[in-house]
Amino acid sequence: GQSLEQPSEVTAVEGAIVQINCTYQTSGFYGLSWYQQHDGGAPTFLSYNGLDGLEETGRFSSFLSRSDSYGYLLLQELQMKDSASYFCAVDDYKLSFGAGTTVTVRA
Amino acid sequence: GAGVSQSPSNKVTEKGKDVELRCDPISGHTALYWYRQSLGQGLEFLIYFQGNSAPDKSGLPSDRFSAERTGGSVSTLTIQRTQQEDSAVYLCASSPLVTSGEETQYFGPGTRLLVL
Protein backbone atom coordinates (compact mmCIF):
# COMPACT_ATOMS: atom_id res chain seq x y z
CA GLY A 1 0.00 0.00 0.00
CA GLN A 2 0.86 3.65 0.04
CA SER A 3 1.33 6.10 2.88
CA LEU A 4 1.99 9.81 2.44
CA GLU A 5 2.54 12.54 4.99
CA GLN A 6 2.31 16.28 4.46
CA PRO A 7 1.60 19.19 6.82
CA SER A 8 -2.07 19.93 7.37
CA GLU A 9 -1.87 23.69 6.96
CA VAL A 10 0.43 26.58 6.18
CA THR A 11 -0.22 30.32 6.40
CA ALA A 12 1.90 32.95 4.70
CA VAL A 13 1.68 36.51 3.40
CA GLU A 14 1.49 37.65 -0.18
CA GLY A 15 4.87 37.61 -1.89
CA ALA A 16 6.31 35.03 0.48
CA ILE A 17 7.71 31.57 -0.33
CA VAL A 18 6.09 28.41 0.99
CA GLN A 19 7.52 24.90 0.93
CA ILE A 20 5.21 21.92 1.38
CA ASN A 21 7.03 18.73 2.26
CA CYS A 22 5.80 15.25 1.44
CA THR A 23 7.23 11.97 2.65
CA TYR A 24 5.95 8.67 1.39
CA GLN A 25 6.12 4.93 1.81
CA THR A 26 5.08 2.99 -1.21
CA SER A 27 5.01 -0.46 -2.74
CA GLY A 28 4.97 0.87 -6.30
CA PHE A 29 6.33 4.12 -7.64
CA TYR A 30 6.60 5.88 -10.95
CA GLY A 31 6.81 9.40 -9.62
CA LEU A 32 5.39 12.07 -7.37
CA SER A 33 2.65 14.38 -8.54
CA TRP A 34 1.25 17.56 -7.05
CA TYR A 35 -2.33 18.74 -7.43
CA GLN A 36 -4.05 21.94 -6.39
CA GLN A 37 -7.65 22.07 -5.28
CA HIS A 38 -9.60 25.22 -4.57
CA ASP A 39 -12.57 25.04 -2.21
CA GLY A 40 -15.39 23.17 -3.92
CA GLY A 41 -13.36 22.65 -7.08
CA ALA A 42 -11.75 19.75 -8.86
CA PRO A 43 -8.08 18.91 -8.32
CA THR A 44 -5.87 20.28 -11.06
CA PHE A 45 -2.41 19.06 -11.98
CA LEU A 46 0.54 21.23 -10.96
CA SER A 47 3.72 19.25 -11.32
CA TYR A 48 5.26 15.81 -11.72
CA ASN A 49 8.66 14.41 -10.74
CA GLY A 50 9.63 11.08 -12.24
CA LEU A 51 13.32 11.55 -11.62
CA ASP A 52 15.31 13.02 -8.76
CA GLY A 53 15.79 16.74 -8.86
CA LEU A 54 13.93 19.96 -9.33
CA GLU A 55 11.15 20.69 -11.82
CA GLU A 56 10.24 24.33 -12.32
CA THR A 57 6.95 25.57 -13.72
CA GLY A 58 6.60 29.31 -13.38
CA ARG A 59 6.18 30.26 -9.74
CA PHE A 60 5.87 26.63 -8.70
CA SER A 61 8.72 24.16 -8.36
CA SER A 62 8.73 20.57 -7.21
CA PHE A 63 11.56 18.41 -5.97
CA LEU A 64 12.00 14.68 -5.56
CA SER A 65 14.55 12.52 -3.80
CA ARG A 66 13.76 8.85 -4.41
CA SER A 67 16.46 7.65 -2.02
CA ASP A 68 14.87 9.67 0.80
CA SER A 69 11.25 8.98 -0.27
CA TYR A 70 10.78 12.71 -0.03
CA GLY A 71 9.56 15.54 -2.15
CA TYR A 72 8.40 19.10 -1.82
CA LEU A 73 6.40 21.72 -3.61
CA LEU A 74 7.72 25.26 -3.55
CA LEU A 75 5.34 28.13 -4.08
CA GLN A 76 7.07 31.43 -4.80
CA GLU A 77 5.78 35.00 -4.94
CA LEU A 78 2.60 33.90 -3.24
CA GLN A 79 -0.63 35.43 -4.48
CA MET A 80 -4.06 35.45 -2.87
CA LYS A 81 -5.30 33.08 -5.57
CA ASP A 82 -2.80 30.48 -4.34
CA SER A 83 -4.98 29.93 -1.27
CA ALA A 84 -6.04 26.32 -1.82
CA SER A 85 -5.32 22.76 -0.77
CA TYR A 86 -2.25 21.10 -2.20
CA PHE A 87 -1.94 17.34 -2.45
CA CYS A 88 1.07 15.21 -3.12
CA ALA A 89 0.29 11.91 -4.78
CA VAL A 90 2.35 8.84 -5.46
CA ASP A 91 1.87 7.82 -9.04
CA ASP A 92 1.85 4.09 -9.76
CA TYR A 93 -0.70 4.40 -12.59
CA LYS A 94 -3.32 5.25 -10.03
CA LEU A 95 -2.78 8.14 -7.68
CA SER A 96 -2.49 7.65 -3.94
CA PHE A 97 -3.02 11.02 -2.33
CA GLY A 98 -1.81 12.56 0.87
CA ALA A 99 -4.37 14.23 3.12
CA GLY A 100 -3.54 17.64 1.69
CA THR A 101 -2.03 20.90 2.92
CA THR A 102 -4.28 23.92 3.20
CA VAL A 103 -2.36 27.04 2.21
CA THR A 104 -3.81 30.35 3.35
CA VAL A 105 -2.34 33.49 1.85
CA ARG A 106 -2.88 36.72 3.78
CA ALA A 107 -2.49 40.27 2.55
CA GLY B 1 -13.24 18.28 -26.58
CA ALA B 2 -14.47 19.60 -23.26
CA GLY B 3 -13.18 18.46 -19.91
CA VAL B 4 -14.37 15.56 -17.80
CA SER B 5 -18.03 15.91 -16.92
CA GLN B 6 -19.94 14.24 -14.12
CA SER B 7 -23.60 14.00 -13.27
CA PRO B 8 -25.45 14.70 -11.17
CA SER B 9 -23.47 17.49 -9.52
CA ASN B 10 -25.33 16.91 -6.27
CA LYS B 11 -27.30 13.95 -5.03
CA VAL B 12 -29.27 13.61 -1.80
CA THR B 13 -30.62 10.17 -1.04
CA GLU B 14 -32.05 8.20 1.82
CA LYS B 15 -30.13 5.51 3.59
CA GLY B 16 -30.67 2.16 1.93
CA LYS B 17 -31.38 3.52 -1.55
CA ASP B 18 -29.19 2.82 -4.58
CA VAL B 19 -27.47 5.63 -6.48
CA GLU B 20 -25.79 5.86 -9.87
CA LEU B 21 -23.10 8.40 -10.63
CA ARG B 22 -22.02 9.11 -14.18
CA CYS B 23 -18.71 10.18 -15.67
CA ASP B 24 -17.99 11.32 -19.22
CA PRO B 25 -14.21 11.34 -19.74
CA ILE B 26 -12.32 13.51 -22.17
CA SER B 27 -12.74 12.11 -25.67
CA GLY B 28 -9.88 9.80 -26.59
CA HIS B 29 -8.70 9.19 -23.06
CA THR B 30 -8.25 5.49 -22.47
CA ALA B 31 -7.77 5.54 -18.71
CA LEU B 32 -10.57 6.41 -16.30
CA TYR B 33 -10.43 6.58 -12.53
CA TRP B 34 -12.91 7.01 -9.70
CA TYR B 35 -11.89 8.60 -6.40
CA ARG B 36 -13.78 9.53 -3.25
CA GLN B 37 -13.07 12.57 -1.11
CA SER B 38 -14.58 12.96 2.32
CA LEU B 39 -14.83 16.42 3.86
CA GLY B 40 -11.40 17.86 4.55
CA GLN B 41 -9.65 14.69 3.45
CA GLY B 42 -7.46 13.60 0.59
CA LEU B 43 -8.69 11.57 -2.32
CA GLU B 44 -9.23 7.85 -1.92
CA PHE B 45 -8.76 5.66 -4.99
CA LEU B 46 -11.76 3.47 -5.81
CA ILE B 47 -11.41 1.88 -9.25
CA TYR B 48 -9.45 2.21 -12.47
CA PHE B 49 -10.29 1.32 -16.09
CA GLN B 50 -7.70 1.10 -18.85
CA GLY B 51 -8.90 0.32 -22.34
CA ASN B 52 -10.31 -3.19 -22.60
CA SER B 53 -8.33 -4.55 -19.68
CA ALA B 54 -10.02 -5.86 -16.57
CA PRO B 55 -10.60 -2.97 -14.16
CA ASP B 56 -8.54 -2.55 -11.01
CA LYS B 57 -11.18 -2.68 -8.27
CA SER B 58 -8.73 -2.79 -5.39
CA GLY B 59 -9.97 0.48 -3.87
CA LEU B 60 -13.67 -0.32 -3.68
CA PRO B 61 -14.57 -0.20 0.05
CA SER B 62 -17.26 -2.88 -0.04
CA ASP B 63 -19.28 -5.05 -2.40
CA ARG B 64 -22.00 -2.40 -2.34
CA PHE B 65 -19.81 -0.42 -4.74
CA SER B 66 -19.48 -1.34 -8.39
CA ALA B 67 -18.57 0.43 -11.60
CA GLU B 68 -18.70 -0.22 -15.28
CA ARG B 69 -17.40 1.48 -18.36
CA THR B 70 -19.33 1.04 -21.56
CA GLY B 71 -17.68 1.23 -24.95
CA GLY B 72 -14.45 2.45 -23.43
CA SER B 73 -15.99 5.83 -22.70
CA VAL B 74 -18.74 6.66 -20.23
CA SER B 75 -18.52 5.14 -16.77
CA THR B 76 -21.13 4.61 -14.08
CA LEU B 77 -20.36 4.14 -10.40
CA THR B 78 -23.18 2.42 -8.53
CA ILE B 79 -23.57 2.37 -4.77
CA GLN B 80 -26.19 -0.06 -3.50
CA ARG B 81 -27.97 0.21 -0.16
CA THR B 82 -26.28 3.53 0.61
CA GLN B 83 -25.05 4.23 4.12
CA GLN B 84 -24.41 7.58 5.79
CA GLU B 85 -20.66 6.98 5.67
CA ASP B 86 -20.91 6.93 1.87
CA SER B 87 -21.51 10.69 1.95
CA ALA B 88 -18.60 12.28 0.11
CA VAL B 89 -17.58 13.88 -3.15
CA TYR B 90 -17.05 11.29 -5.86
CA LEU B 91 -14.49 12.41 -8.41
CA CYS B 92 -13.81 10.95 -11.80
CA ALA B 93 -10.59 11.51 -13.70
CA SER B 94 -9.30 10.49 -17.11
CA SER B 95 -5.90 10.41 -18.76
CA PRO B 96 -4.76 9.76 -22.32
CA LEU B 97 -2.68 6.67 -21.82
CA VAL B 98 -1.02 4.88 -18.95
CA THR B 99 2.54 3.99 -19.78
CA SER B 100 5.22 5.11 -17.39
CA GLY B 101 2.92 6.85 -14.98
CA GLU B 102 3.64 10.29 -16.34
CA GLU B 103 0.17 10.91 -17.65
CA THR B 104 -1.61 13.81 -16.00
CA GLN B 105 -5.04 12.97 -14.69
CA TYR B 106 -7.82 15.41 -15.53
CA PHE B 107 -10.54 15.58 -12.92
CA GLY B 108 -14.21 16.25 -13.29
CA PRO B 109 -16.09 18.58 -10.93
CA GLY B 110 -17.35 15.70 -8.83
CA THR B 111 -20.70 14.51 -7.55
CA ARG B 112 -21.51 15.54 -4.00
CA LEU B 113 -23.42 12.69 -2.42
CA LEU B 114 -25.32 13.14 0.81
CA VAL B 115 -26.95 10.12 2.41
CA LEU B 116 -29.57 11.03 5.00
Side-chain angles (χ1 to χ4, degrees), chain A residues 22-84:
Chain A
C22 175
T23 57
Y24 59 87
Q25 293 182 324
T26 175
S27 56
F29 186 84
Y30 286 130
L32 192 69
S33 297
W34 290 90
Y35 283 76
Q36 178 192 59
Q37 185 179 33
H38 286 98
D39 241 7
T44 56
F45 173 80
L46 286 179
S47 187
Y48 173 82
N49 293 77
L51 302 173
D52 283 1
L54 191 67
E55 293 285 338
E56 297 179 84
T57 309
R59 295 186 296 114
F60 296 172
S61 303
S62 60
F63 172 83
L64 175 66
S65 168
R66 286 173 169 259
S67 59
D68 296 322
S69 297
Y70 163 76
Y72 67 72
L73 178 70
L74 194 70
L75 315 178
Q76 301 179 73
E77 300 172 22
L78 274 180
Q79 302 176 8
M80 298 296 287
K81 67 179 181 179
D82 298 330
S83 292

Side-chain angles (χ1 to χ4, degrees), chain B residues 21-35:
Chain B
L21 312 179
R22 176 187 169 103
C23 172
D24 280 273
I26 293 172
S27 178
H29 281 194
T30 60
L32 186 147
Y33 310 78
W34 283 98
Y35 296 88

Side-chain angles (χ1 to χ4, degrees), chain A residues 30 35 37 40 42 91 93 95, chain B residues 33 35 37 56 100-101 108 112:
Chain A
Y30 286 130
Y35 283 76
Q37 185 179 33
D91 197 335
Y93 75 84
L95 293 173
Chain B
Y33 310 78
Y35 296 88
Q37 185 174 31
D56 176 350
S100 62
R112 286 155 184 76

